[in-house]
Amino acid sequence: MLRIANNEDIDDIYNLNTELFIVLNELKGEIYNPIAFPRVFISSMINSSYSDYILIEDDDKIVGYALIEERKSPYDEYDSFVEDHYAFIYELVVLPEYRIKGYGRKLMEEAQKWAKSRKLTSIELNVLSNNHSAKAFYERNGFEEYQVKLRKEI
């Protein structure tokens, strides 16, 4: 079952977010600590009119979510850039034991419906370059590379 999160879901989202950051820490420990976003952040995203946690449940247990936010290009004020209103997926998480059941795909489909209902033109997200399974998942779901972010340690 898919649904939008409410304040009663904060602890479950926090626990799933912890799972995500453990994986991110394993992939890029120099950037990510293995701890979740603070509950106050989760609450603010739930209560914002510009964002939602889309939850997926299995037997009344939250087994995954997509955190999505409506965004406007920060460069719209400059004539050099085209005005752009889009959705941004902060994170998409499915517990390991529930993967390969189509839950991630269902979350992506619901995120697309969410964006279309707000008349947004596209969906963006970030993925770590060494997170090959996540990158392959997003590509299978129609995402294409359009910008590359580079980093140099100094």
Side-chain angles (χ1 to χ4, degrees), residues 69-86:
E69 179 180 54
E70 183 177 336
R71 287 192 176 175
K72 179 180 177 183
S73 171
Y75 307 112
D76 286 354
E77 64 190 66
Y78 303 110
D79 292 337
S80 304
F81 293 89
V82 175
E83 186 174 325
D84 188 19
H85 292 92
Y86 61 98

Side-chain angles (χ1 to χ4, degrees), residues 59-75:
D59 289 329
D60 295 324
K61 176 183 177 180
I62 298 170
V63 299
Y65 71 79
L67 172 55
I68 190 165
E69 179 180 54
E70 183 177 336
R71 287 192 176 175
K72 179 180 177 183
S73 171
Y75 307 112

